[in-house]
Amino acid sequence: MKKVFLSLAIIAALTVVSCKQADAAPADTTAVDSTAAAATETVDSTAAAATTTVDSTAAAATEKVDAAAADATKAAEAAAPAKK
């Protein structure tokens, strides 16, 4: 009976030590944090570049539409006196 209690005590001690080692081991979050920060910077810079491209394309398209509208207005004004 003494051997059984001794065996159980040893198993319990090994279990406690094993759990403490697992809890004490700090997780290495530095690599994850730095990778996340780098990914965030990449996404931010890509989004900024895309926004700049979209803005410049929209401005160019607006200029072309305005020019076409002005040409259409001139053409309509030129055609109006001919109808009289």
Side-chain angles (χ1 to χ4, degrees):
M1 190 71 156
K2 188 175 184 180
K3 289 182 181 181
V4 173
F5 285 119
L6 185 58
S7 297
L8 290 175
I10 290 173
I11 291 172
L14 290 175
T15 303
V16 169
V17 169
S18 175
C19 289
K20 283 186 179 179
Q21 287 176 350
D23 292 341
D28 185 19
T29 60
T30 305
V32 173
D33 290 343
S34 63
T35 303
T40 301
E41 289 176 11
T42 301
V43 168
D44 288 347
S45 64
T46 303
T51 301
T52 303
T53 302
V54 168
D55 289 346
S56 64
T57 303
T62 301
E63 289 176 11
K64 288 181 180 180
V65 168
D66 289 345
D71 290 344
T73 302
K74 287 179 186 177
E77 290 172 354
K83 290 183 179 178
K84 290 184 180 181

